[in-house]
Amino acid sequence: MNQITWRKQMDLQYPPIDDEHQAFMKVVNKAQEAAQKDDFMCFDNIFEQCYEYARTHFPHEEDLMERISYPGLESHALSHQQFIQNISELRQTYNRAKTLEEYRYIVRKTAHFLSAWFLGHILGKDRLYKPYLVRLRHLPPRMNYDSE
Ligand SMILES: [Fe+2]
Ligand SMILES: [Fe+2]
């Protein structure tokens, strides 16, 4: 897969979230590049950054959805859970790899998964709550804490 470039449709016009999405796009592109170069060891760090993204961005987004009463929160949170599950499975296979072929297989599979997931999730799911972000303007200041 090719490197992903930021497109207009990915933009939620909400910097606290857009910044996190763009930072994760760089991780996804790094995975793609490392897989092409057979840089297997780089994936140790890439998996860590995936977990970090799940630990920080997912709760951030779900909390935001709650504040704007986004009706799709429940199924969206499930999709985040599924990502964690998928990454954990890929990481386990990566940890068990011993031969060159096994490493090559798992890093390519991981890079492919990350690119496909990023595009599918951001364009297919994250984009859906964009129209609800206008509600932030009507929230009391204490509930509008991460808007600029
Ligand atoms: Fe999301
Ligand atoms: Fe997101």
Side-chain angles (χ1 to χ4, degrees), residues 17 21 53 57-58 61 76 80 121 126 129:
I17 291 288
H21 285 161
Y53 183 67
H57 175 67
F58 292 173
E61 204 169 67
H76 198 107
H80 287 166
H121 189 81
D126 285 346
Y129 70 81

